[in-house]
Amino acid sequence: MPDALWLSPAQLDAIIEHARTHKPLEACGILAGDGDGRVRQVFLMDNAERSPTLYMMDSREQFRVFDEIDREGLELVAIFHSHPHSPAVPSPRDCELAFYPDALYLIVSLMDEQPDCHAYRIVDNQVEEADIVVTDGDDQS
Ligand SMILES: [Zn+2]
């Protein structure tokens, strides 16, 4: 199980931009990849809750995205959401709703001028921080 999230600078920019666009509401999305932790595709999604403190993926959109991930032969790598006004730390509800033990949870905090991103693995309410590697290269050594 890869315990790092590998993203290109452009992918990270797209995620942060999506978060900024939705501020003051939380934004969310899905990152898909090859199963080695390297993100290949970023899905920017709606927050069905339309809330500044909660997110919930729209179930139909989520279904469509998972279907596309399947068809592309990709895997779910991470689920991301933003914290417009708080640090990039999972809330109790984030832990409660972390249904994918194989996925990483990326949180983008927009609390400060400079966005702050952290990734976590959340299994049975146990939170463990994972690395975020921002690179255009494929070299993972
Ligand atoms: Zn959260």
Side-chain angles (χ1 to χ4, degrees), residues 27-56:
C28 60
I30 284 177
L31 309 179
D34 289 336
D36 57 0
R38 152 72 65 180
V39 174
R40 301 287 172 197
Q41 214 168 332
V42 175
F43 296 92
L44 305 173
M45 295 169 69
D46 278 337
N47 176 3
E49 289 275 359
R50 307 208 176 284
S51 156
T53 53
L54 301 172
Y55 79 101
M56 177 65 69

mmCIF file of all heavy atoms in Angstrom, residues 27-56:
data_model
loop_
_atom_site.group_PDB
_atom_site.id
_atom_site.type_symbol
_atom_site.label_atom_id
_atom_site.label_comp_id
_atom_site.label_asym_id
_atom_site.label_seq_id
_atom_site.Cartn_x
_atom_site.Cartn_y
_atom_site.Cartn_z
ATOM 1 N N ALA A 27 -15.104 22.145 -0.831
ATOM 2 C CA ALA A 27 -15.109 21.532 -2.160
ATOM 3 C C ALA A 27 -14.537 20.126 -2.031
ATOM 4 O O ALA A 27 -13.842 19.816 -1.064
ATOM 5 C CB ALA A 27 -14.250 22.348 -3.118
ATOM 6 N N CYS A 28 -14.830 19.267 -3.016
ATOM 7 C CA CYS A 28 -14.321 17.907 -2.912
ATOM 8 C C CYS A 28 -14.063 17.323 -4.293
ATOM 9 O O CYS A 28 -14.421 17.901 -5.323
ATOM 10 C CB CYS A 28 -15.289 17.025 -2.124
ATOM 11 S SG CYS A 28 -16.940 16.899 -2.848
ATOM 12 N N GLY A 29 -13.459 16.155 -4.299
ATOM 13 C CA GLY A 29 -13.180 15.489 -5.561
ATOM 14 C C GLY A 29 -12.457 14.182 -5.338
ATOM 15 O O GLY A 29 -12.193 13.788 -4.196
ATOM 16 N N ILE A 30 -12.148 13.536 -6.452
ATOM 17 C CA ILE A 30 -11.540 12.210 -6.409
ATOM 18 C C ILE A 30 -10.272 12.212 -7.254
ATOM 19 O O ILE A 30 -10.231 12.811 -8.335
ATOM 20 C CB ILE A 30 -12.553 11.156 -6.919
ATOM 21 C CG1 ILE A 30 -13.598 10.882 -5.833
ATOM 22 C CG2 ILE A 30 -11.851 9.867 -7.335
ATOM 23 C CD1 ILE A 30 -14.681 9.909 -6.236
ATOM 24 N N LEU A 31 -9.247 11.544 -6.752
ATOM 25 C CA LEU A 31 -7.995 11.382 -7.483
ATOM 26 C C LEU A 31 -7.834 9.910 -7.829
ATOM 27 O O LEU A 31 -7.910 9.046 -6.959
ATOM 28 C CB LEU A 31 -6.808 11.847 -6.631
ATOM 29 C CG LEU A 31 -6.949 13.253 -6.019
ATOM 30 C CD1 LEU A 31 -5.712 13.583 -5.186
ATOM 31 C CD2 LEU A 31 -7.152 14.294 -7.092
ATOM 32 N N ALA A 32 -7.636 9.640 -9.120
ATOM 33 C CA ALA A 32 -7.498 8.256 -9.567
ATOM 34 C C ALA A 32 -6.109 8.046 -10.144
ATOM 35 O O ALA A 32 -5.488 8.970 -10.668
ATOM 36 C CB ALA A 32 -8.550 7.936 -10.631
ATOM 37 N N GLY A 33 -5.628 6.811 -10.028
ATOM 38 C CA GLY A 33 -4.288 6.532 -10.533
ATOM 39 C C GLY A 33 -4.083 5.068 -10.794
ATOM 40 O O GLY A 33 -5.035 4.285 -10.860
ATOM 41 N N ASP A 34 -2.825 4.704 -10.906
ATOM 42 C CA ASP A 34 -2.459 3.339 -11.296
ATOM 43 C C ASP A 34 -2.385 2.363 -10.133
ATOM 44 O O ASP A 34 -2.047 1.209 -10.331
ATOM 45 C CB ASP A 34 -1.087 3.351 -11.978
ATOM 46 C CG ASP A 34 -1.171 3.997 -13.342
ATOM 47 O OD1 ASP A 34 -2.272 3.997 -13.906
ATOM 48 O OD2 ASP A 34 -0.142 4.489 -13.822
ATOM 49 N N GLY A 35 -2.652 2.845 -8.935
ATOM 50 C CA GLY A 35 -2.538 1.949 -7.806
ATOM 51 C C GLY A 35 -1.171 1.998 -7.154
ATOM 52 O O GLY A 35 -0.912 1.326 -6.167
ATOM 53 N N ASP A 36 -0.270 2.820 -7.732
ATOM 54 C CA ASP A 36 1.050 3.006 -7.127
ATOM 55 C C ASP A 36 1.113 4.328 -6.360
ATOM 56 O O ASP A 36 2.162 4.748 -5.928
ATOM 57 C CB ASP A 36 2.145 2.964 -8.201
ATOM 58 C CG ASP A 36 1.914 4.014 -9.284
ATOM 59 O OD1 ASP A 36 0.913 4.751 -9.187
ATOM 60 O OD2 ASP A 36 2.731 4.091 -10.215
ATOM 61 N N GLY A 37 -0.043 4.961 -6.210
ATOM 62 C CA GLY A 37 -0.100 6.221 -5.482
ATOM 63 C C GLY A 37 0.089 7.428 -6.374
ATOM 64 O O GLY A 37 -0.114 8.559 -5.950
ATOM 65 N N ARG A 38 0.452 7.194 -7.620
ATOM 66 C CA ARG A 38 0.658 8.279 -8.584
ATOM 67 C C ARG A 38 -0.692 8.675 -9.195
ATOM 68 O O ARG A 38 -1.393 7.823 -9.738
ATOM 69 C CB ARG A 38 1.650 7.802 -9.644
ATOM 70 C CG ARG A 38 1.524 8.429 -10.995
ATOM 71 C CD ARG A 38 1.987 9.859 -11.054
ATOM 72 N NE ARG A 38 3.415 10.024 -10.808
ATOM 73 C CZ ARG A 38 4.021 11.224 -10.816
ATOM 74 N NH1 ARG A 38 3.328 12.313 -11.042
ATOM 75 N NH2 ARG A 38 5.295 11.303 -10.584
ATOM 76 N N VAL A 39 -1.047 9.927 -9.052
ATOM 77 C CA VAL A 39 -2.339 10.380 -9.565
ATOM 78 C C VAL A 39 -2.270 10.555 -11.080
ATOM 79 O O VAL A 39 -1.340 11.165 -11.610
ATOM 80 C CB VAL A 39 -2.753 11.709 -8.893
ATOM 81 C CG1 VAL A 39 -4.018 12.271 -9.531
ATOM 82 C CG2 VAL A 39 -2.950 11.495 -7.395
ATOM 83 N N ARG A 40 -3.232 9.972 -11.780
ATOM 84 C CA ARG A 40 -3.320 10.131 -13.238
ATOM 85 C C ARG A 40 -4.453 11.050 -13.636
ATOM 86 O O ARG A 40 -4.425 11.671 -14.677
ATOM 87 C CB ARG A 40 -3.546 8.764 -13.904
ATOM 88 C CG ARG A 40 -2.481 7.749 -13.622
ATOM 89 C CD ARG A 40 -1.188 8.051 -14.352
ATOM 90 N NE ARG A 40 -0.132 7.148 -13.906
ATOM 91 C CZ ARG A 40 1.171 7.353 -14.100
ATOM 92 N NH1 ARG A 40 1.586 8.438 -14.728
ATOM 93 N NH2 ARG A 40 2.049 6.509 -13.638
ATOM 94 N N GLN A 41 -5.506 11.062 -12.846
ATOM 95 C CA GLN A 41 -6.671 11.840 -13.220
ATOM 96 C C GLN A 41 -7.314 12.487 -12.000
ATOM 97 O O GLN A 41 -7.476 11.842 -10.959
ATOM 98 C CB GLN A 41 -7.675 10.930 -13.924
ATOM 99 C CG GLN A 41 -8.447 11.660 -15.004
ATOM 100 C CD GLN A 41 -9.213 10.697 -15.895
ATOM 101 O OE1 GLN A 41 -8.818 9.541 -16.064
ATOM 102 N NE2 GLN A 41 -10.298 11.163 -16.442
ATOM 103 N N VAL A 42 -7.671 13.749 -12.155
ATOM 104 C CA VAL A 42 -8.301 14.499 -11.072
ATOM 105 C C VAL A 42 -9.756 14.748 -11.444
ATOM 106 O O VAL A 42 -10.046 15.257 -12.524
ATOM 107 C CB VAL A 42 -7.577 15.852 -10.864
ATOM 108 C CG1 VAL A 42 -8.301 16.694 -9.818
ATOM 109 C CG2 VAL A 42 -6.123 15.627 -10.465
ATOM 110 N N PHE A 43 -10.657 14.356 -10.588
ATOM 111 C CA PHE A 43 -12.083 14.617 -10.803
ATOM 112 C C PHE A 43 -12.524 15.682 -9.798
ATOM 113 O O PHE A 43 -12.520 15.433 -8.591
ATOM 114 C CB PHE A 43 -12.904 13.339 -10.596
ATOM 115 C CG PHE A 43 -12.602 12.253 -11.595
ATOM 116 C CD1 PHE A 43 -11.635 11.290 -11.313
ATOM 117 C CD2 PHE A 43 -13.267 12.198 -12.808
ATOM 118 C CE1 PHE A 43 -11.343 10.287 -12.237
ATOM 119 C CE2 PHE A 43 -12.983 11.202 -13.734
ATOM 120 C CZ PHE A 43 -12.025 10.235 -13.445
ATOM 121 N N LEU A 44 -12.870 16.839 -10.314
ATOM 122 C CA LEU A 44 -13.354 17.921 -9.461
ATOM 123 C C LEU A 44 -14.859 17.750 -9.322
ATOM 124 O O LEU A 44 -15.568 17.671 -10.325
ATOM 125 C CB LEU A 44 -13.016 19.273 -10.102
ATOM 126 C CG LEU A 44 -11.533 19.484 -10.435
ATOM 127 C CD1 LEU A 44 -11.346 20.772 -11.224
ATOM 128 C CD2 LEU A 44 -10.679 19.491 -9.176
ATOM 129 N N MET A 45 -15.340 17.667 -8.106
ATOM 130 C CA MET A 45 -16.746 17.288 -7.909
ATOM 131 C C MET A 45 -17.525 18.319 -7.098
ATOM 132 O O MET A 45 -16.951 19.173 -6.450
ATOM 133 C CB MET A 45 -16.806 15.909 -7.247
ATOM 134 C CG MET A 45 -16.238 14.842 -8.182
ATOM 135 S SD MET A 45 -15.976 13.266 -7.371
ATOM 136 C CE MET A 45 -17.662 12.772 -7.080
ATOM 137 N N ASP A 46 -18.843 18.165 -7.157
ATOM 138 C CA ASP A 46 -19.732 19.030 -6.392
ATOM 139 C C ASP A 46 -19.797 18.576 -4.947
ATOM 140 O O ASP A 46 -19.764 17.385 -4.670
ATOM 141 C CB ASP A 46 -21.158 18.947 -6.963
ATOM 142 C CG ASP A 46 -21.325 19.843 -8.169
ATOM 143 O OD1 ASP A 46 -20.544 20.805 -8.302
ATOM 144 O OD2 ASP A 46 -22.234 19.571 -8.971
ATOM 145 N N ASN A 47 -19.927 19.533 -4.060
ATOM 146 C CA ASN A 47 -20.224 19.218 -2.677
ATOM 147 C C ASN A 47 -21.738 19.278 -2.504
ATOM 148 O O ASN A 47 -22.324 20.361 -2.462
ATOM 149 C CB ASN A 47 -19.530 20.230 -1.754
ATOM 150 C CG ASN A 47 -19.876 20.017 -0.294
ATOM 151 O OD1 ASN A 47 -20.585 19.074 0.042
ATOM 152 N ND2 ASN A 47 -19.372 20.879 0.558
ATOM 153 N N ALA A 48 -22.370 18.111 -2.409
ATOM 154 C CA ALA A 48 -23.830 18.051 -2.341
ATOM 155 C C ALA A 48 -24.363 18.714 -1.071
ATOM 156 O O ALA A 48 -25.520 19.132 -1.018
ATOM 157 C CB ALA A 48 -24.300 16.595 -2.423
ATOM 158 N N GLU A 49 -23.512 18.821 -0.060
ATOM 159 C CA GLU A 49 -23.943 19.465 1.200
ATOM 160 C C GLU A 49 -23.978 20.989 1.091
ATOM 161 O O GLU A 49 -24.620 21.657 1.890
ATOM 162 C CB GLU A 49 -22.989 19.094 2.337
ATOM 163 C CG GLU A 49 -23.065 17.665 2.809
ATOM 164 C CD GLU A 49 -24.159 17.466 3.859
ATOM 165 O OE1 GLU A 49 -24.829 18.448 4.224
ATOM 166 O OE2 GLU A 49 -24.337 16.331 4.293
ATOM 167 N N ARG A 50 -23.216 21.529 0.161
ATOM 168 C CA ARG A 50 -23.073 22.991 0.034
ATOM 169 C C ARG A 50 -22.900 23.639 1.396
ATOM 170 O O ARG A 50 -23.664 24.512 1.797
ATOM 171 C CB ARG A 50 -24.278 23.596 -0.681
ATOM 172 C CG ARG A 50 -24.544 22.917 -2.007
ATOM 173 C CD ARG A 50 -25.227 23.794 -3.045
ATOM 174 N NE ARG A 50 -25.355 23.083 -4.306
ATOM 175 C CZ ARG A 50 -24.348 22.880 -5.152
ATOM 176 N NH1 ARG A 50 -23.154 23.368 -4.892
ATOM 177 N NH2 ARG A 50 -24.516 22.199 -6.259
ATOM 178 N N SER A 51 -21.896 23.197 2.088
ATOM 179 C CA SER A 51 -21.673 23.645 3.463
ATOM 180 C C SER A 51 -20.232 24.137 3.632
ATOM 181 O O SER A 51 -19.321 23.639 2.969
ATOM 182 C CB SER A 51 -21.929 22.461 4.404
ATOM 183 O OG SER A 51 -21.238 22.638 5.623
ATOM 184 N N PRO A 52 -20.028 25.113 4.539
ATOM 185 C CA PRO A 52 -18.656 25.558 4.824
ATOM 186 C C PRO A 52 -17.901 24.604 5.735
ATOM 187 O O PRO A 52 -16.697 24.771 5.939
ATOM 188 C CB PRO A 52 -18.855 26.924 5.497
ATOM 189 C CG PRO A 52 -20.244 26.911 6.024
ATOM 190 C CD PRO A 52 -21.042 25.947 5.199
ATOM 191 N N THR A 53 -18.589 23.620 6.324
ATOM 192 C CA THR A 53 -17.919 22.739 7.287
ATOM 193 C C THR A 53 -18.095 21.253 6.980
ATOM 194 O O THR A 53 -17.540 20.415 7.689
ATOM 195 C CB THR A 53 -18.449 22.993 8.719
ATOM 196 O OG1 THR A 53 -19.878 22.898 8.681
ATOM 197 C CG2 THR A 53 -18.050 24.366 9.229
ATOM 198 N N LEU A 54 -18.863 20.922 5.951
ATOM 199 C CA LEU A 54 -19.117 19.514 5.625
ATOM 200 C C LEU A 54 -18.984 19.311 4.128
ATOM 201 O O LEU A 54 -19.187 20.234 3.351
ATOM 202 C CB LEU A 54 -20.536 19.104 6.002
ATOM 203 C CG LEU A 54 -20.989 19.225 7.444
ATOM 204 C CD1 LEU A 54 -22.488 18.946 7.518
ATOM 205 C CD2 LEU A 54 -20.227 18.266 8.330
ATOM 206 N N TYR A 55 -18.690 18.079 3.754
ATOM 207 C CA TYR A 55 -18.784 17.769 2.332
ATOM 208 C C TYR A 55 -19.403 16.392 2.179
ATOM 209 O O TYR A 55 -19.302 15.536 3.059
ATOM 210 C CB TYR A 55 -17.414 17.804 1.645
ATOM 211 C CG TYR A 55 -16.571 16.574 1.876
ATOM 212 C CD1 TYR A 55 -16.467 15.587 0.892
ATOM 213 C CD2 TYR A 55 -15.892 16.391 3.070
ATOM 214 C CE1 TYR A 55 -15.700 14.454 1.108
ATOM 215 C CE2 TYR A 55 -15.124 15.263 3.284
ATOM 216 C CZ TYR A 55 -15.025 14.299 2.299
ATOM 217 O OH TYR A 55 -14.271 13.176 2.513
ATOM 218 N N MET A 56 -20.075 16.229 1.073
ATOM 219 C CA MET A 56 -20.664 14.940 0.723
ATOM 220 C C MET A 56 -20.704 14.914 -0.790
ATOM 221 O O MET A 56 -21.239 15.831 -1.411
ATOM 222 C CB MET A 56 -22.083 14.863 1.311
ATOM 223 C CG MET A 56 -22.856 13.602 0.969
ATOM 224 S SD MET A 56 -22.132 12.106 1.666
ATOM 225 C CE MET A 56 -22.460 12.357 3.410
#
